Amino acid sequence: MKHTLIYFTLAAALTFMAAACGTSRDASDTSAKESAATSVQAGTAVYTPDVIASWVPTATVPNARIYRTNGNYADNVPVNCAADGSILSYPAPSDLTDATPIALEGGWLLDRRGIGLNSRFTKYTYSEYSRLSAAPSPKELRKAIISGARVTEVVEMPFPYSPGCAAACDSVIAARGLR
């Protein structure tokens, strides 16, 4: 949301700055007046707000992901690791608001943290971790990884994640026979 606001503000600022530079147009021409407010002219090319907006990257919502584990680790905080076991990323305690996975059909879980096949689970529960004043160091987190706890399957859904997509995930699980 913050990035989108910045991009729209930047696009609007560029449009108004370029329009203020002026062009050679007849002041009585209404369409030229409207054009000055909605386009930027540089040489012979005209850059409309649509074109300017296309230069600005848009935020995308990643597709929903479901996953299974080799044990009951739904309440354990995951960390993402490299193939050698070193920790690549981990959450801040404040990142865990509404982060616990949602239980689905067939033992599947709806990911709300960025789970992958190299994710590992720590001994910290979501409630314990969210109460910490600061995240543990990577060294401490590595010691807290539950030995053998693994993600066994990850399936990307054909639709973006949304807070209410659990029913759609259950439908895909049933349709694909993922039980």
Side-chain angles (χ1 to χ4, degrees):
M1 180 73 179
K2 182 178 178 182
H3 293 303
T4 303
L5 180 59
I6 291 170
Y7 293 135
F8 284 121
T9 303
L10 177 62
L14 287 172
T15 301
F16 290 117
M17 285 178 15
C21 292
T23 60
S24 59
R25 52 186 178 266
D26 185 347
S28 64
D29 183 8
T30 306
S31 64
K33 289 178 186 175
E34 291 173 15
S35 178
T38 61
S39 67
V40 178
Q41 294 192 7
T44 58
V46 176
Y47 298 100
T48 64
D50 292 341
V51 172
I52 293 170
S54 71
W55 301 336
V56 179
T58 58
T60 59
V61 177
N63 280 356
R65 287 178 159 201
I66 61 172
Y67 68 97
R68 282 199 249 200
T69 63
N70 63 349
N72 184 9
Y73 306 113
D75 197 36
N76 296 90
V77 174
V79 294
N80 291 320
C81 296
D84 68 358
S86 60
I87 295 176
L88 295 175
S89 65
Y90 55 93
S94 60
D95 291 341
L96 297 184
T97 303
D98 296 327
T100 56
I102 298 171
L104 301 169
E105 296 292 323
W108 290 93
L109 299 167
L110 176 59
D111 176 30
R112 300 197 302 170
R113 282 285 324 132
I115 293 290
L117 288 174
N118 284 331
S119 295
R120 301 296 180 256
F121 298 94
T122 65
K123 67 178 182 174
Y124 295 104
T125 65
Y126 280 91
S127 62
E128 291 169 340
Y129 196 91
S130 66
R131 288 191 306 265
L132 296 175
S133 59
S137 70
K139 184 178 181 179
E140 291 172 311
L141 285 170
R142 190 168 163 96
K143 288 179 184 176
I145 291 175
I146 300 168
S147 180
R150 300 273 190 272
V151 173
T152 57
E153 296 176 80
V154 176
V155 176
E156 187 169 309
M157 296 286 101
F159 47 82
Y161 172 80
S162 68
C165 73
C169 290
D170 280 333
S171 295
V172 171
I173 290 168
R176 292 187 184 175
L178 298 174
R179 294 177 188 255

